[in-house]
Amino acid sequence: MVTELWERVLHQRGAYSQLALAGERVVVHERRTRLVCLGAADGTPLWDVPAVAWPRALVVVGRRVLVLPQDRDVLACLALTTGELLWQAEVEHWTGQVAVADGVVLVGGWRGYTPLAAFDLTDGRPLWRSGSRATTERPVAWAGGFLLGHGARAWLVDPRDGRESASWELPRPLTGADGRPVFTVVDADRCAVGCDGGAVVVLRADGRRPELLTTHEGPLLGEAPLLVDGVLWLREVRAAGAGYVTVDPLDGTRRWRAGLGTPAAQGVVGTAGGTVLASEGGRLFRLDAGGGVAGRERLGGRIAAVHDLGAGRLLTVTRNSLRAWRL
């Protein structure tokens, strides 16, 4: 039986609120122009600062919060503990996407609107900028650099100078995610990539030819697989009975299909006894170790996403709020 711990009304659509988790802290954009840090245990506001209207990106790394506003052409860095502005750097108009690797912040490449630009995480000092506009799906830190991709190509760049150090030709084009993740880091050697046609491709850091790991017979949402408890979870398109399909990241063996009988919310949370999913209609589903539905509970309202708060706790993003639960 789940127990509600706290609720935070956002005064805006929950699905549109940028959210980042960092240990016992939850950073969320709310009220259209505020950035708030909440305690994960009880939802107590730890700081509340004027921010921006609908940030394009919100990332927590270490003890720093990185924000890309829509209404100002800057990259802002705040202290996670206090919300204090540590530095801000000018960026080009329409800059989107933020990734961090080896103390370097990379922005740009969203929809091909801007060049890539890199800044020092400590003080915001500019490090390098690509010579022209670049197009890439959301980059990730992997194999000692930034992994980027567009179309049927993925490539790795050095964080310090932007030079390309490796590249891969994919058997299928990357799924068009428009700023959502397409890369899932499995470990130091492997990265799973969401591609067109329900395919998942695995890249190897040693430069080996990419492997087609699996192809799902039905349509999947255009996003990266989720890695939970050593299994890749692929979310099916929003339709009656849509759920998640799980595959082994080593050989692509299909484990099970978690069909909920109703569209699934985004997110999968691992627990001591199995995994937890939610439906968009507000139901919680507990799955056993074999993927079977072991229990259902009604949480109420609509749910856009679920997140793991750790210590047996779950965070749900609802129509206009955040709600935390004890599982």
Side-chain angles (χ1 to χ4, degrees):
M1 191 74 177
V2 295
T3 303
E4 186 169 5
L5 299 175
W6 52 266
E7 181 176 16
R8 176 78 177 186
V9 177
L10 302 175
H11 301 285
Q12 64 188 34
R13 289 284 298 275
Y16 298 156
S17 297
Q18 291 279 353
L19 171 73
L21 305 180
E24 287 298 304
R25 293 173 183 261
V26 179
V27 182
V28 63
H29 177 258
E30 64 173 48
R31 289 171 285 161
R32 295 178 174 80
T33 59
R34 309 292 297 187
L35 200 63
V36 178
C37 182
L38 309 173
D42 55 13
T44 300
L46 303 177
W47 47 261
D48 181 339
V49 299
V52 296
W54 310 111
R56 289 197 178 94
L58 174 64
V59 173
V60 175
V61 55
R63 301 177 71 83
R64 294 172 183 262
V65 181
L66 298 165
V67 189
L68 266 182
Q70 285 198 36
D71 55 354
R72 296 200 305 266
D73 297 330
V74 297
L75 169 67
C77 179
L78 312 179
L80 175 62
T81 53
T82 64
E84 173 192 3
L85 179 65
L86 300 178
W87 55 261
Q88 65 179 24
E90 293 186 3
V91 297
E92 292 203 16
H93 193 50
W94 295 111
T95 294
Q97 306 182 145
V98 173
V100 181
D102 193 25
V104 176
V105 185
L106 181 70
V107 300
W110 176 55
R111 296 183 177 177
Y113 289 156
T114 68
L116 298 171
F119 303 89
D120 190 283
L121 177 61
T122 303
D123 55 15
R125 174 171 42 92
L127 298 178
W128 55 268
R129 178 181 178 278
S130 64
S132 58
R133 292 182 182 181
T135 303
T136 177
E137 300 295 340
R138 187 195 294 186
V140 297
W142 179 63
F146 289 110
L147 179 62
L148 300 89
H150 176 64
R153 183 173 180 266
W155 63 98
L156 199 68
V157 300
D158 188 289
R160 288 292 162 181
D161 57 20
R163 293 181 181 176
E164 185 176 307
S165 58
S167 66
W168 299 263
E169 292 300 322
L170 306 175
R172 296 192 184 185
L174 292 165
T175 184
D178 193 25
R180 298 187 305 277
V182 296
F183 300 117
T184 300
V185 175
V186 177
D187 53 35
D189 178 58
R190 295 171 298 157
C191 183
V193 183
C195 293
D196 283 351
V200 177
V201 172
V202 172
L203 304 181
R204 297 276 186 171
D206 61 10
R208 272 186 280 173
R209 186 175 181 177
E211 305 166 14
L212 182 61
L213 182 68
T214 186
T215 302
H216 184 49
E217 63 273 14
L220 299 173
L221 286 177
E223 59 190 21
L226 298 176
L227 181 66
V228 180
D229 292 339
V231 177
L232 291 175
W233 295 70
L234 317 176
R235 186 159 60 130
E236 298 175 308
V237 296
R238 188 184 184 280
Y244 279 87
V245 174
T246 63
V247 298
D248 190 307
L250 291 175
D251 57 15
T253 302
R254 178 162 159 168
R255 295 287 190 87
W256 59 78
R257 178 181 179 274
L260 307 185
T262 183
Q266 197 277 334
V268 178
V269 174
T271 68
T275 47
V276 172
L277 310 177
S279 70
E280 291 183 351
R283 285 190 180 275
L284 189 73
F285 292 80
R286 296 179 185 268
L287 307 184
D288 59 28
V293 177
R296 299 176 176 85
E297 297 176 69
R298 179 72 179 173
L299 300 185
R302 295 189 62 80
I303 297 177
V306 296
H307 299 275
D308 188 359
L309 279 182
R313 298 168 301 181
L314 178 78
L315 185 70
T316 59
V317 180
T318 75
R319 185 176 63 85
N320 65 350
S321 70
L322 301 180
R323 299 176 73 184
W325 308 82
R326 174 75 63 188
L327 293 171

